[in-house]
Amino acid sequence: MTFKKPRNLLEGYSKLIGSHSEDSSDDLMVTCPKCKKSLASGDLLGSINVCMYCGHHFRMNARQRLNLICDRDTFAEADGTMVSSNLIGFPEYDGKLENARLDSKEPDAVICGACKINGIAAGIFVMEPYFMMGSMGVVVGEKLTRLFERAAAERLPVVGFTVSGGARMQEGILSLMQMAKVSGAVKRHSDAGLFFVCVLTDPTTGGVTASFAMEADVIAAEPFAHIGFAGARVIEQTMRKKLPEGFQRAEFLLEKGFIDDIVERKKQKKYLAQLLKMHVR
Amino acid sequence: MAAAYEKVALARAKGRATSVDYISNIFENFLEMHGDRRYGDDKSVIAGIGYLIEMPVTVIGIEKGHSVKERGFRNSGSAHPEGYRKALRQMKLAEKFSRPVVCFVDTPGAYCGIGAEERGQGQAIAENLTEMMTLKTPVISIVIGEGGSGGALGLAVADEVWMLENSVYSVISPEGCASILWKDSSRSKEASECLKLTAQDLFKLKVIEKIFPESDKVYAHLKQELYAAFTKSRQLDPQSLTAARYERFRKIGAPE
Ligand SMILES: [Zn+2]
């Protein structure tokens, strides 16, 4: 198995965050896709992966996000050892999984558990962009289902962060079925009178958008996050025309009435804590 | 046994029976109900009420159309959000009167377009998943041709899912899979094999309950099986019914 090279500087840099790599990350430079300014990765780390010039929100790995949102030392992980296997014998999937584990240093594409947010207990899940772009297979589906079932039993609200390219095609129909399975658990949690807030981050698409991302009581999004059902390229090919400016961005969804608000990363903890407090039962 | 791609070709073949054929051959006195009461009437989804023998049932079908003209009118079975919302409206009406629901699934996928995204394609499907999971009346979904990803699942959260012998049901189209995987959509034959998308594959994976042979007896066969299944499931109290539906999906992909 060969180590896969990072596809771009930013991706390589982000993998280093929190991983105590021997590489000095200070000399890595990243170009902001929005304002085109050159940023030192060390500075970006200090600014929670938000461009200090224009506010562009870079991707963030799941552990970093948990650190940002959970009160110190309150996060307790659940099902942290569950790993995907090649259930339908899909070609090259074993190698992809191995690379994804190396890329992300995580066993799969979602981290689940419980934590406190400004002292309020909640179930929490955070998807991992560096594991096959947060794609949902059987393990992601099972971990999320267990999270919502546990939260319903313990009468806890759930806070979620999505980032996903959708269902994981290497697990075929079994991954599609996870959309229904997780939706069932979300509905039971909801019918028990419990609160679910979801923050959609860049990108949240396909089967995740068409299931739990859009099933929360309150749906927030990070600025400029790409959110949609169909891929932009597929739509362009289907319609044979160029897509309007800002199409499928968080601001577009807010305008069309599909999300409650856009919340900057630095304000998210306070926002979530306030919502949780408003929904304490 | 035909190879996977041959099944894909058969499932998509022109001249293959579509939802209108199943509806007219299985049910009597079908009354079509239009519109989602939100935006419009999606022609890709037919919904209404008919008799299954003497039993009133709600029937929903994604319709591709037969002729070129019909296919245009039906958008080749690619539903917009209002199609899923129309279906849900009819399902809620069925629930109110404890009427069983039959869904015929035949779609290349939910429509990928600007309007569909603007009106919340993802939200519409997501809502069907949660609402169908707890619908307090029996639901059976039958894949009669193509079961295209989320667009199919949006009408297939059911007590049982059945498939026709030469139908397919997949997380992604073989062309889409090939173009993502190998940047080459012409390798869709290979992708078809990899995806395990035939009715026979899905039965082995325990994702569906029954496969129906495609013969001239198929309508009579389905009529009989639907009637028998609903006669049984109508006896269940709503709580046991929805609990069984939850467990049906809960066990898919759960570790042993
Ligand atoms: Zn910038």
Side-chain angles (χ1 to χ4, degrees), chain B residues 7-255:
Chain B
K7 294 278 191 189
V8 173
L10 285 169
R12 292 172 175 172
K14 293 217 165 68
R16 187 180 175 81
T18 63
S19 287
V20 289
D21 303 307
Y22 287 87
I23 294 171
S24 62
N25 283 290
I26 297 174
F27 308 95
E28 276 131 58
N29 299 319
F30 180 73
L31 295 176
E32 187 172 357
M33 308 285 154
H34 293 277
D36 69 343
R37 303 290 192 274
R38 298 285 185 276
Y39 177 82
D41 182 40
D42 190 342
K43 310 296 190 293
S44 306
V45 176
I46 296 172
I49 310 164
Y51 281 101
L52 175 63
I53 308 180
E54 91 302 338
M55 189 190 293
V57 295
T58 287
V59 186
I60 295 158
I62 308 180
E63 176 58 36
K64 283 184 171 178
H66 286 293
S67 63
V68 172
K69 200 177 157 200
E70 273 172 22
R71 286 194 169 231
F73 179 71
R74 300 291 184 186
N75 199 29
S76 300
S78 278
H80 281 75
E82 42 277 16
Y84 294 98
R85 294 184 181 125
K86 166 160 77 174
L88 182 58
R89 191 172 77 82
Q90 288 306 320
M91 288 190 258
K92 296 306 260 184
L93 183 60
E95 180 181 54
K96 182 173 169 183
F97 293 94
S98 305
R99 185 163 63 217
V101 178
V102 187
C103 297
F104 294 101
V105 175
D106 189 15
T107 176
Y111 192 60
C112 298
I114 294 173
E117 295 290 319
E118 283 177 338
R119 301 194 292 279
Q121 189 71 283
Q123 188 277 336
I125 293 171
E127 188 168 0
N128 279 21
L129 304 187
T130 53
E131 292 304 316
M132 289 182 81
M133 192 62 88
T134 49
L135 200 75
K136 294 176 190 67
T137 197
V139 188
I140 290 176
S141 296
I142 310 168
V143 182
I144 56 171
E146 269 186 288
S149 194
L153 185 66
L155 287 181
V157 178
D159 306 321
E160 293 196 10
V161 179
W162 301 345
M163 286 178 78
L164 272 288
E165 184 183 5
N166 296 317
S167 66
V168 296
Y169 189 3
S170 180
V171 64
I172 187 170
S173 71
E175 292 76 13
C177 176
S179 78
I180 293 171
L181 218 52
W182 304 301
K183 315 270 173 260
D184 182 0
S185 62
S186 69
R187 288 172 72 179
S188 54
K189 283 186 188 177
E190 254 173 286
S192 306
E193 298 292 338
C194 300
L195 285 165
K196 301 280 186 287
L197 46 61
T198 68
Q200 294 71 24
D201 290 327
L202 267 70
F203 187 80
K204 265 186 241 156
L205 291 166
K206 300 192 171 109
V207 172
I208 60 163
E209 278 79 10
K210 281 187 179 130
I211 298 176
F212 286 79
E214 294 178 15
S215 72
D216 48 4
K217 296 194 192 74
V218 70
Y219 301 121
H221 192 184
L222 277 169
K223 186 174 183 171
Q224 180 193 331
E225 293 287 325
L226 282 169
Y227 189 77
F230 287 144
T231 302
K232 224 163 119 185
S233 55
R234 278 171 94 195
Q235 307 301 314
L236 294 170
D237 64 282
Q239 212 158 3
S240 326
L241 187 70
T242 53
R245 196 179 302 146
Y246 185 89
E247 283 309 314
R248 182 194 182 277
F249 287 92
R250 180 69 188 86
K251 63 177 196 273
I252 300 178

Side-chain angles (χ1 to χ4, degrees), chain A residues 252-269:
Chain A
F252 171 91
L253 271 89
L254 186 70
E255 181 63 29
K256 300 297 172 193
F258 285 97
I259 59 174
D260 290 279
D261 214 345
I262 295 171
V263 184
E264 287 174 55
R265 198 169 285 164
K266 64 174 185 225
K267 295 180 179 162
Q268 284 169 5
K269 178 162 181 166

